[in-house]
Amino acid sequence: MPDFQLYNSLTREIEPFAPADGHTVRFYACGPTVYNPAHLGNFRTFLFEDLLRRVLRMRGWSVEQVMNLTDVDDKIIKRATEQHKTIRQVTDPVIVTFHADREYLRIQRAEHYPRATDFIPQMIDLVSRLEAKGVAYKAEDGSVYFAIDKFPGYGKLSQLDTREIRAGARVAQDDYAKENAQDFALWKAAKPEDEASEAVWDSPWGRGRPGWHLECSAMAMSILGETIDLHAGGIDLVFPHHDDEIAQSEAATGKPFARFWCHGEFLLTDGAKMAKRVGNVSNVSDLRANGVSAAALRHFMFSTHYRKQLNLSGEALEGSIEAVRRVGDFAERLERERGGTSALAEAAETLLVESTTAFGDDLNAPRAMGAMFEFITAANRELDKRGTDAEALARAREAFRQVNAVFDVIPERVVEDAALSRWVESQLAARTAARQRRDFAEADAVRKALEEKGIAIEDSPSGTRWKKVR
RNA sequence: GGCGCCGUGGCCAAGUGGUAAGGCAGGAGACUGCAAAUCUCCCAUCGUCGGUUCGAUUCCGACCGGCGCCUCCA
């Protein structure tokens, strides 16, 4: 196996990666805050993590992945308060939607989807440990904060130590209770609206709720262990979220929290970060309504390296729709064929080498995608020669299967209902008869009628094939 | 103000110190009754200006343009 390298945000270098124990990658991915359906920007990150997961497995490692569901935070409480609901009543349906969208996009299921509210005891325990070590303190406002100046190296991930905070710039307003403006909340004292929406728990520091960063440390460590192999998320989480996770985890255990940190870049729309507050979000349901298949979206997302910003545009999406159509047609052809040539086997070997190398080079999906399309062209060319080498064909199928096991970009076949299928077959029989008596006007009329129903047909020496195109 | 990223053909995009993968779109041809699919061929000198070098898209500098983080955020 060639090297497998990943960019590590912690060192800002590309480094060889392997799980610490040699075979299971302990992988934590920051998941969604479930107060609203996740938008495509969120899903770009989840898709990047899906790609990473699949590549790790392709390398022969097993993966134990945790993706948290943040089901208690300011926005959730705000929504619950507005709707006179409990936070659970707000988050439950959103979680259902999240999984539906996730499955639609063919994002593999992680091993664990812990909800923050199910790990309150573990979080309280973590805060207690920090308090015992003298790095957490209870302030006058009743909340517990992490004292960043008690943790040497605070901000090492974002290189906070090398930068200055702009004087008078956007520093939170409610800081007066804290010893240091950048100290962050571990445990927030309860407010009336927290009680009303059932977002409070008893703790040694009084009733309250966990701070945002706390859940990830607590859940990652209790499920995966105190030092995990890989921690991933969107680039905006580097600071403060991930820096704070590092601080609270490492201050408690004295051990490195994560060996590798990987961050995916943003999805932009109209040249700006896709975000709810910018008002340029679109989600999976918008996509489905516009006829963009999961395969096409995956192709689109994987057409750019994960550490590069990607602009969502109709034109680019159109390109992906067409590209993926080609992949789908090829996949069907590969199943249909009976034999190949020695050059086909060589192309398969090239595909395997090229794609493995590309994936191993910091997840260079665009390059692997290029290799796949080069293979498709070469294979189509060889298949046109009507070879009889069954072994070569088997190798081509296997190589293609392996690469697609990572990309998963074959468009779903539109479900054909039996009645439609019978109707199409009868039309095609009539058309074939017309063609045989060289009544092409009739044959073309049939084709036109089928097209109006969204059925495209292709004549070939072995008969006429058809498919639903819309 | 601090930190960081990016700028390759109409659109998307990989890449290397020695004259630019791939996809979409477009053009020409083969195949086809016609289409479609498929195949073949064609289509860029890499933001600008300097510098280093035998040679730079690739290294350095400046500039221009775009984006992000520094506050909740994938």
Side-chain angles (χ1 to χ4, degrees):
Chain A
M1 242 333 152
D3 294 340
F4 181 69
Q5 301 192 303
L6 269 182
Y7 179 84
N8 186 350
S9 304
L10 204 51
T11 57
R12 309 208 167 194
E13 279 175 19
I14 292 174
E15 304 173 16
F17 173 87
D21 72 3
H23 63 83
T24 299
V25 180
R26 291 172 214 291
F27 174 23
Y28 187 93
C30 283
T33 298
V34 286
Y35 72 105
N36 234 350
H39 61 247
L40 294 180
N42 300 313
F43 275 110
R44 181 183 184 197
T45 298
F46 304 149
L47 246 7
F48 141 62
E49 289 157 351
D50 183 56
L51 183 77
L52 177 54
R53 176 191 170 86
R54 289 171 184 247
V55 169
L56 292 170
R57 298 177 85 183
M58 184 186 81
R59 311 295 296 200
W61 292 313
S62 59
V63 175
E64 184 168 11
Q65 182 186 357
V66 174
M67 177 174 278
N68 65 297
L69 300 172
T70 300
D71 63 350
V72 51
D73 94 317
D74 292 350
K75 280 181 287 219
I76 295 169
I77 292 168
K78 181 163 180 272
R79 177 136 320 176
T81 303
E82 286 165 1
Q83 301 178 175
H84 305 290
K85 288 179 178 173
T86 64
I87 54 170
R88 195 95 189 176
Q89 287 171 326
V90 170
T91 58
D92 278 351
V94 179
I95 289 174
V96 170
T97 302
F98 168 70
H99 277 114
D101 289 347
R102 196 204 91 235
E103 276 171 26
Y104 176 73
L105 295 178
R106 307 177 183 178
I107 294 170
Q108 289 185 349
R109 189 174 184 84
E111 282 63 34
H112 311 271
Y113 286 99
R115 298 176 66 144
T117 55
D118 289 337
F119 280 76
I120 300 295
Q122 290 87 339
M123 292 191 237
I124 289 175
D125 180 59
L126 181 56
V127 177
S128 297
R129 289 170 75 183
L130 292 169
E131 197 177 35
K133 297 217 171 187
V135 295
Y137 62 92
K138 184 173 175 181
E140 284 177 16
D141 63 359
S143 297
V144 181
Y145 295 94
F146 183 94
I148 63 164
D149 54 7
K150 299 272 176 53
F151 180 70
Y154 176 76
K156 63 185 173 189
L157 183 64
S158 64
Q159 298 189 170
L160 185 72
D161 46 328
T162 67
R163 66 174 190 237
E164 301 164 16
I165 298 296
R166 186 180 185 178
R170 307 180 288 183
V171 180
Q173 307 299 307
D174 56 351
D175 283 345
Y176 52 85
K178 297 191 257 179
E179 293 175 359
N180 183 317
Q182 288 186 68
D183 287 353
F184 57 92
L186 294 165
W187 188 260
K188 295 180 159 187
K191 293 178 188 164
E193 59 265 38
D194 300 347
E195 295 282 357
S197 56
E198 296 183 12
V200 285
W201 292 265
D202 288 317
S203 83
W205 314 281
R207 286 175 72 72
R209 60 186 172 93
W212 172 41
H213 316 298
L214 190 62
E215 61 174 276
C216 288
S217 291
M219 297 194 289
M221 293 198 289
S222 61
I223 299 172
L224 297 174
E226 295 186 338
T227 297
I228 65 178
D229 290 306
L230 208 57
H231 194 131
I235 189 134
D236 51 340
L237 297 185
V238 171
F239 185 86
H241 189 234
H242 288 338
D243 262 325
D244 290 350
E245 282 187 49
I246 289 172
Q248 60 197 183
S249 303
E250 299 189 354
T253 67
K255 298 174 188 167
F257 178 44
R259 299 172 51 235
F260 272 72
W261 288 85
C262 299
H263 298 279
E265 255 295 354
F266 284 129
L267 178 68
L268 312 180
T269 320
D270 307 322
K273 168 184 176 178
M274 180 179 283
K276 281 170 195 133
R277 69 149 179 263
V278 182
N280 60 352
V281 299
S282 46
N283 31 243
V284 174
S285 54
D286 298 328
L287 220 62
R288 298 177 74 157
N290 285 314
V292 181
S293 66
L297 189 78
R298 292 180 68 93
H299 172 95
F300 171 71
M301 295 288 195
F302 298 149
S303 69
T304 300
H305 187 85
Y306 75 93
R307 286 195 287 113
K308 228 179 135 178
Q309 294 177 340
L310 170 61
N311 197 233
L312 182 72
S313 73
E315 244 180 325
L317 239 26
E318 288 298 324
S320 287
I321 289 169
E322 192 53 30
V324 127
R325 192 231 84 230
R326 183 161 203 256
V327 176
D329 282 357
F330 173 72
E332 282 190 18
R333 177 178 193 184
L334 212 46
E335 289 314 306
R336 203 168 55 226
E337 294 287 346
R338 308 302 296 274
T341 60
S342 60
L344 177 64
E346 285 165 25
E349 179 59 21
T350 301
L351 172 62
L352 250 17
V353 171
E354 296 285 317
S355 60
T356 305
T357 302
F359 285 133
D361 179 16
D362 191 29
L363 240 48
N364 195 331
R367 210 167 91 209
M369 193 74 82
M372 186 172 86
F373 278 97
E374 282 176 334
F375 169 73
I376 289 176
T377 299
N380 269 142
R381 180 174 54 237
E382 292 309 311
L383 257 13
D384 281 351
K385 294 177 183 166
R386 323 276 350 141
T388 56
D389 187 340
E391 173 65 21
L393 179 63
R395 287 192 190 189
R397 284 176 177 159
E398 177 55 20
F400 181 71
R401 202 213 91 243
Q402 278 193 39
V403 176
N404 191 247
V406 175
F407 284 136
D408 208 347
V409 287
I410 296 174
E412 44 284 279
R413 281 188 68 82
V414 178
V415 184
E416 318 141 2
D417 58 277
L420 175 70
S421 185
R422 273 199 306 278
W423 178 75
V424 173
E425 294 296 344
S426 69
Q427 292 295 105
L428 286 184
R431 177 168 173 277
T432 300
R435 289 179 71 211
Q436 275 165 355
R437 62 176 184 269
R438 305 193 67 77
D439 181 354
F440 298 122
E442 173 61 17
D444 290 346
V446 172
R447 177 165 59 205
K448 194 156 187 300
L450 287 166
E451 276 171 0
E452 279 164 9
K453 298 278 186 184
I455 307 295
I457 60 178
E458 294 174 19
D459 292 325
S460 82
S462 57
T464 300
R465 291 188 294 277
W466 65 277
K467 61 184 176 182
K468 193 138 171 56
V469 292
R470 60 174 164 75

